[in-house]
Amino acid sequence: MARDRHESQTPWSQSVSDVLERTDVSQSEGLTEEEVERRRARFGPNELREAERRRWVEILADQFKSFIVLLLAAAGIAAFVLGDVIEGVAIFAVLVINGAIGFVTEMRAVSSMESLQEITEIEARVRRAGEEHGIPAEDLVPGDIVVLEAGDLVPADLRILEPSKLQVDESALTGESVPVGKTSEPLDEDIPLAERENMLYKGTYVTRGSAEAVVAATGPDTELGHISASLQEAAEEQTPLQQKLDDLGQKLVPFLLVVATIVLVSGWLRGQDLFLMVETAIALAIATVPEGLPVVATLVLARGMWRMADRNALITNLASVETLGSTTIICTDKTGTLTENEMTVAEYELANGTVEVSGTGLDTDGTFQHGDQELDEPRDPVMQEALEVGVLCNNASVTEQEGEMDATGDPMEVALLIAGLKGGLDRDELLDLMSEAREVSFDPSVKMMATYHDVNGDYKVAVKGAPEAVIESSTRIVTGDDTEELSGSDRKEWLQKSDRMAEDGLRVLALARKEVASTEDPPYEDLSLLGLVGFIDPPREEVRSTIQGCQDAGMRVIMVTGDHAGTARNIAHSVGLVDTDNVEVVEGRQLDDPENLSQEEKDQFVNASVFARVNPANKLDLIDLHQAVGSIVAMTGDGVNDAPALKKADIGVAMGQRGTQVAQEASDMILRDDNFESIYHAVREGRIIFSNIRKFVLYLMSCNLSELLAILIATLLGFPLPLLPLQILFLNVVTDIFPAFALGACGGSRDIMDRSPRNPDEPIMTRTHWTELGFYGILISVATIGAFVIGGSMYAGGMETEEAVTISFLTLAFAQLWHVFNVREVTSGILRNEVTENLYVWGALGLSTLILFGAVYLPGISLALSTTPLSLEGWLVVFGMSLIPLGVGQVERELRRRFEITQLGF
């Protein structure tokens, strides 16, 4: 059913009475149940439209749509027509395995997404028919009167009717990390969303105070719903890797037809049996199609996704795995990704010096460094009073549950409570001694908050707030057990101290106190300044080394934060993102007009490493700038407002712990631990995956080419066939399946993160790889023909004998098995490299060797393949000639490594 639009489109511009009149509801009574049912029928449930999940049937069908899979199916049918049931069954078994692996992997990703997004049902407290009670948030309708308290998640878009000390964390929607104060006064109609102080939006949460509000919009009509809906229209595209594999498959078709025709015609003209040559040509055509390619590609991608999940990086689609390996730019948020996302008191600036506080987050263990003294608890009276005021003038709470600290409230207030506990001050114990008699809530207009505390009949007023406001309201400075007059020059000096702390990346509050006789005395007059307190969200311990690793890998890390320039600069320097602490910081407003940027400005922004005061639109512009110069951009985000940027980036990275559902649905990768290090490991895995795919493509195609060339050379030289049709098909199963699978599990070379990112437009097979393909194909085929000639000279019947054909068959087979060691990276060593250290490779070689011995010595199989047991001399020829391609290949690899020759071809 189509949903009606809500009657009130701009409730923030209307007075409380007008809003109640337009929504036809009484604040004291709320809606009746009958009216609720009517409105629910009209507006529907308070739910977002979830992104449409792919059905299992669609996921299964997608596994069989690529060209190379269709080519394999044609080869399987041809095998059955030829009478080779084993090869036909093997090909279709491979197709089934390929489909099963891809299906299970993608279903697993979908399941992980759904479990990640499952949250406890949110309850809303409403007033209906004059009574308050809790209901599921999805049952809310426009016009409901909602009652909110600190800690509540805002269940819909609400117009505030009656706030009390209300502060709300809107970072998920606006990106503003500091809770904002709220009012009920009407505002201008065209005021931006971030400044609508009389509105509460779905998905944000109350950090302090309480309120009554009326529901203005529900479900898809909320601001959250609008953003969510805009992200569900992107069309599915074939992944780059799928396209490259299909292109490769399409190039194979004309090649195999030409070669098979040459073999057929030349053999027939030289007097070979026509049926045998037709059979051989078809067998070669089937063998040319690498049936292991799609299943190994799928298996490698799936294995990569599983390995990344073990590293807390949940990949939502296979395409992202490949793109990660090409990433050149990582645009990362600061809070919670580079930092701990736990505000911590770092230092106090007092009249008698600076006191540095150790410890981070909610850890109550810490010391106080005052000059040369490091104490568990401060003995200085000014420091004691500063801690006391920070604990008293506070609405947060910290509790210990099962050995772990749990905090509720404003992050900076929580940090003040933790600092107090480090100094031996517990808020509840202090309130027992000095009960709170009055609170003057934080007022954005004066930028201060005060509490009155009963002390022997008089009252101590504890004040905290913005440094400029508190300093301006102070007339004296606390110097110890006494106070001194605060002059105009003193105020200027304290403001300069505050500016220096802010430039060092600290958030700064000022603390003050005074004594009064009555709670009616004004709170912000004739204050005695205690000093300044600086807060920091400390960097994660592992971030510095991870950023260095990214830079070594040729990736640039760019900090994109909504925080102040000073804070951004300080964190960037502390984590090693920039070398100097006076680096230029680009502010978001400089990106506000991207269409009119000069080329010089574009170059400046592309080369900048730190961006501050950035809004969601700026993130989109930044992605555009980098993509315009060919960069592959990964962008992190957690809020609803980040979703468009996550969608636009080549790799959208959402946070799993603090990220919103909308952000996660828009992303390609979800960090379950919100840790920057997980991005680095995911990029490394992406590089390994493409490297492994390239390895087994080169391996499979060079093996298949060697079979073609061996037959072609023998035919052109007038020799008998060195391989029979069923032998070709048998080899195709052995070498296409086991060694190729094993190559897909290589762990990656040691220097894989010391290279520049791969060009995303680079094909799987570059000119260098085509050159290597031809070189290895010729090498193996020549060794095979050489063994065939030697074998023919050993037996009376010459090359026509079963012994000679068996020698050439086994030489080709073992040469292909040893060839697995030739596809190592040029930069790796001979004995220790990603191939030799792969236990699956040794297992595959062992299994394939047993199968080849069975092909010679098991009566049923040897009869079908026309092989015969060999003498010791025959085996010496097989192993001697089959090792030649390995030896030559290793010499070639080593020469290229020593002379640093990475490119081949013309």
Side-chain angles (χ1 to χ4, degrees):
M1 179 181 65
R3 294 172 62 98
D4 294 71
R5 293 183 61 82
H6 294 152
E7 298 155 346
S8 178
Q9 299 299 311
T10 58
W12 57 87
S13 66
Q14 301 156 22
S15 67
V16 168
S17 58
D18 285 344
V19 170
L20 290 172
E21 182 179 347
R22 285 178 178 271
T23 51
D24 192 21
V25 65
S26 162
Q27 182 178 348
S28 60
E29 292 294 318
L31 299 174
T32 64
E33 289 301 327
E34 292 79 8
E35 182 61 24
V36 167
E37 291 302 321
R38 280 195 293 270
R39 297 192 185 195
R40 186 176 296 117
R42 180 182 177 191
F43 297 111
N46 179 33
E47 296 175 332
L48 299 183
R49 293 191 187 100
E50 290 192 3
E52 186 176 344
R53 302 290 183 198
R54 293 168 67 199
R55 293 178 300 167
W56 68 268
V57 176
E58 295 171 339
I59 294 174
L60 184 61
D62 286 346
Q63 311 307 315
F64 301 96
K65 288 182 178 178
S66 74
F67 177 82
I68 201 159
V69 168
L70 297 176
L71 191 61
L72 276 175
I77 293 171
F80 281 120
V81 171
L82 191 63
D84 184 9
V85 176
I86 295 175
E87 174 72 7
V89 169
I91 290 176
F92 280 102
V94 162
L95 291 178
V96 171
I97 293 170
N98 174 65
I101 293 171
F103 173 73
V104 169
T105 301
E106 294 203 33
M107 284 298 294
R108 184 171 168 176
V110 169
S111 175
S112 297
M113 274 286 292
E114 290 174 347
S115 62
L116 191 68
Q117 291 170 359
E118 282 179 4
I119 57 174
T120 306
E121 185 180 77
I122 299 170
E123 274 212 347
R125 189 152 192 84
V126 299
R127 182 178 296 129
R128 288 178 177 173
E131 294 184 1
E132 289 185 17
H133 49 91
I135 64 168
E138 64 186 42
D139 291 343
L140 285 174
V141 297
D144 260 327
I145 302 298
V146 178
V147 181
L148 294 164
E149 295 179 348
D152 287 348
L153 195 69
V154 177
D157 285 0
L158 312 175
R159 169 64 163 90
I160 299 171
L161 303 175
E162 194 176 312
S164 175
K165 309 174 187 176
L166 184 64
Q167 287 190 350
V168 179
D169 183 339
E170 294 185 333
S171 58
L173 194 63
T174 66
E176 179 58 58
S177 58
V178 177
V180 294
K182 292 292 184 176
T183 180
S184 61
E185 298 302 313
L187 304 168
D188 291 339
E189 185 172 325
D190 58 354
I191 197 167
L193 183 145
E195 298 175 20
R196 295 174 192 167
E197 295 176 351
N198 58 12
M199 293 292 295
L200 300 173
Y201 290 102
K202 183 178 176 68
T204 62
Y205 74 93
V206 179
T207 61
R208 178 180 176 189
S210 60
E212 290 189 6
V214 62
V215 176
T218 58
D221 294 319
T222 61
E223 290 294 333
L224 184 65
H226 293 157
I227 297 173
S228 179
S230 69
L231 297 171
Q232 296 176 17
E233 299 168 1
E236 291 260 337
E237 296 182 359
Q238 191 178 37
T239 72
L241 181 60
Q242 289 171 334
Q243 185 61 55
K244 287 170 185 171
L245 290 175
D246 279 359
D247 290 345
L248 194 60
Q250 290 171 24
K251 288 176 183 176
L252 284 176
V253 173
F255 176 74
L256 68 88
L257 289 176
V258 169
V259 174
T261 301
I262 291 174
V263 169
L264 170 62
V265 173
S266 60
W268 178 56
L269 291 177
R270 288 183 177 275
Q272 296 281 4
D273 179 73
L274 179 60
F275 179 77
L276 177 62
M277 293 312 301
V278 170
E279 195 176 31
T280 302
I282 293 174
L284 284 173
I286 294 171
T288 306
V289 181
E291 62 250 40
L293 187 56
V295 67
V296 177
T298 303
L299 190 62
V300 169
L301 289 172
R303 181 175 177 269
M305 288 180 70
W306 299 334
R307 283 166 60 95
M308 289 182 198
D310 290 340
R311 288 280 194 170
N312 291 311
L314 174 63
I315 304 297
T316 59
N317 60 74
L318 288 175
S320 306
V321 179
E322 179 201 358
T323 310
L324 274 168
S326 303
T327 301
T328 56
I329 300 288
I330 301 175
C331 294
T332 177
D333 189 13
K334 172 184 69 68
T335 305
T337 309
L338 299 180
T339 65
E340 295 285 359
N341 194 27
E342 291 180 333
M343 198 63 74
T344 303
V345 171
E347 68 179 63
Y348 288 85
E349 189 69 36
L350 309 174
N352 57 357
T354 302
V355 179
E356 296 180 353
V357 186
S358 68
T360 60
L362 298 180
D363 187 358
T364 57
D365 291 330
T367 59
F368 297 83
Q369 180 83 36
H370 191 183
D372 295 332
Q373 287 187 312
E374 185 176 44
L375 303 172
D376 291 333
E377 293 185 8
R379 297 171 184 169
D380 179 75
V382 184
M383 185 64 213
Q384 282 281 4
E385 265 208 281
L387 286 174
E388 187 177 280
V389 166
V391 171
L392 291 173
C393 188
N394 204 307
N395 279 308
S397 66
V398 175
T399 57
E400 186 174 354
Q401 295 180 351
E402 298 180 359
E404 293 190 2
M405 303 302 290
D406 184 49
T408 303
D410 182 278
M412 294 172 78
E413 291 191 331
V414 169
L416 288 171
L417 292 182
I418 294 295
L421 289 171
K422 289 176 183 176
L425 296 180
D426 179 83
R427 176 172 165 78
D428 291 336
E429 292 175 3
L430 271 180
L431 290 176
D432 287 340
L433 297 174
M434 295 180 282
S435 60
E436 184 177 312
R438 179 190 174 194
E439 176 184 324
V440 181
S441 299
F442 178 82
D443 186 341
S445 63
V446 298
K447 300 180 180 178
M448 288 183 284
M449 170 190 174
T451 54
Y452 291 69
H453 299 271
D454 190 344
V455 182
N456 300 323
D458 289 328
Y459 296 93
K460 177 174 183 174
V461 182
V463 176
K464 74 172 189 293
E468 64 274 16
V470 176
I471 292 169
E472 183 62 33
S473 300
S474 298
T475 56
R476 303 191 70 78
I477 176 78
V478 181
T479 57
D481 293 327
D482 201 359
T483 63
E484 296 178 2
E485 185 178 350
L486 193 68
S487 65
S489 61
D490 291 335
R491 288 192 181 90
K492 186 175 180 180
E493 184 180 339
W494 277 98
L495 287 172
Q496 289 173 345
K497 289 181 180 180
S498 172
D499 290 341
R500 282 197 299 270
M501 291 172 72
E503 287 171 3
D504 288 339
L506 300 176
R507 287 192 176 168
V508 187
L509 289 178
L511 303 172
R513 52 86 164 163
K514 71 174 181 177
E515 286 75 33
V516 296
S518 168
T519 56
E520 298 304 316
D521 289 354
Y524 306 130
E525 293 179 4
D526 299 323
L527 296 175
S528 295
L529 180 67
L530 285 162
L532 305 171
V533 54
F535 303 80
I536 191 170
D537 180 7
R540 289 179 181 264
E541 290 183 6
E542 71 281 356
V543 162
R544 175 177 278 273
S545 60
T546 304
I547 287 178
Q548 183 62 53
C550 288
Q551 293 168 343
D552 292 343
M555 296 182 290
R556 284 185 58 212
V557 180
I558 298 173
M559 180 194 292
V560 183
T561 178
D563 229 322
H564 294 281
T567 304
R569 184 184 293 110
N570 176 271
I571 293 294
H573 182 247
S574 66
V575 300
L577 189 58
V578 293
D579 296 330
T580 174
D581 58 3
N582 61 357
V583 68
E584 180 187 5
V585 177
V586 177
E587 297 207 7
R589 55 184 172 78
Q590 296 174 254
L591 291 167
D592 282 346
D593 191 15
E595 298 296 326
N596 296 316
L597 291 176
S598 66
Q599 188 58 48
E600 183 180 352
E601 288 174 318
K602 289 180 180 178
D603 292 342
Q604 174 196 355
F605 298 152
V606 165
N607 293 322
S609 295
V610 185
F611 291 80
R613 307 305 287 169
V614 171
N615 63 38
N618 298 148
K619 287 187 175 183
L620 289 170
D621 297 332
L622 188 58
I623 292 170
D624 275 335
L625 286 172
H626 282 287
Q627 289 179 335
V629 296
S631 296
I632 303 299
V633 183
M635 173 69 79
T636 69
D638 54 7
V640 174
N641 58 344
D642 291 326
L646 294 175
K647 197 83 169 178
K648 185 173 184 59
D650 298 285
I651 292 288
V653 184
M655 302 298 114
Q657 293 182 355
R658 70 178 193 275
T660 60
Q661 179 178 336
V662 174
Q664 290 169 2
E665 287 183 348
S667 68
D668 303 292
M669 180 169 74
I670 300 170
L671 302 183
R672 292 193 291 202
D673 58 354
D674 293 6
N675 193 336
F676 182 78
E677 188 178 25
S678 298
I679 302 177
Y680 174 83
H681 290 300
V683 170
R684 183 178 187 277
E685 198 64 41
R687 291 190 179 189
I688 290 173
I689 284 166
F690 195 85
S691 174
N692 287 348
I693 289 173
R694 181 168 271 167
K695 279 184 178 66
F696 69 66
V697 168
L698 175 61
Y699 174 77
L700 286 176
M701 293 186 65
S702 53
C703 287
N704 291 350
L705 179 63
S706 67
E707 296 164 12
L708 282 170
L709 291 178
I711 298 292
L712 182 60
I713 292 170
T715 304
L716 294 176
L717 293 177
F719 292 168
L721 290 178
L723 297 168
L724 300 177
L726 283 181
Q727 292 175 349
I728 296 170
L729 296 174
F730 180 83
L731 282 180
N732 204 38
V733 173
V734 173
T735 57
D736 269 17
I737 301 298
F738 304 114
F741 272 25
L743 282 174
C746 285
S749 61
R750 290 177 177 82
D751 67 341
I752 198 161
M753 291 301 281
D754 294 332
R755 311 174 197 162
S756 297
R758 174 182 54 83
N759 185 332
D761 295 326
E762 184 179 283
I764 294 176
M765 296 287 287
T766 65
R767 283 187 299 176
T768 295
H769 298 104
W770 285 112
T771 303
E772 290 176 336
L773 170 65
F775 173 69
Y776 291 132
I778 292 171
L779 199 57
I780 295 172
S781 61
V782 169
T784 301
I785 294 298
F788 187 43
V789 172
I790 294 172
S793 66
M794 292 169 59
Y795 301 100
M799 289 185 285
E800 298 282 356
T801 63
E802 279 193 354
E803 288 85 357
V805 173
T806 301
I807 287 175
S808 58
F809 163 68
L810 290 173
T811 300
L812 178 60
F814 280 108
Q816 289 180 349
L817 293 183
W818 312 147
H819 175 51
V820 76
F821 298 110
N822 287 334
V823 296
R824 64 177 172 87
E825 297 289 340
V826 173
T827 55
S828 58
I830 294 178
L831 297 179
R832 298 198 63 180
N833 55 65
E834 70 278 10
V835 179
T836 59
E837 292 176 351
N838 183 352
L839 295 179
Y840 292 107
V841 166
W842 295 104
L845 292 180
L847 178 60
S848 298
T849 299
L850 288 176
I851 292 173
L852 287 174
F853 276 109
V856 175
Y857 291 105
L858 292 179
I861 300 177
S862 64
L863 180 63
L865 295 177
S866 301
T867 58
T868 186
L870 297 178
S871 63
L872 177 60
E873 292 80 3
W875 279 110
L876 289 174
V877 171
V878 167
F879 284 112
M881 296 302 290
S882 68
L883 286 170
I884 289 176
L886 173 63
V888 175
Q890 291 302 303
V891 170
E892 176 263 347
R893 264 335 198 218
E894 188 62 18
L895 288 174
R896 286 176 61 189
R897 184 177 74 86
R898 293 193 178 185
F899 292 101
E900 298 182 354
I901 302 171
T902 57
Q903 303 294 321
L904 295 175
F906 301 96

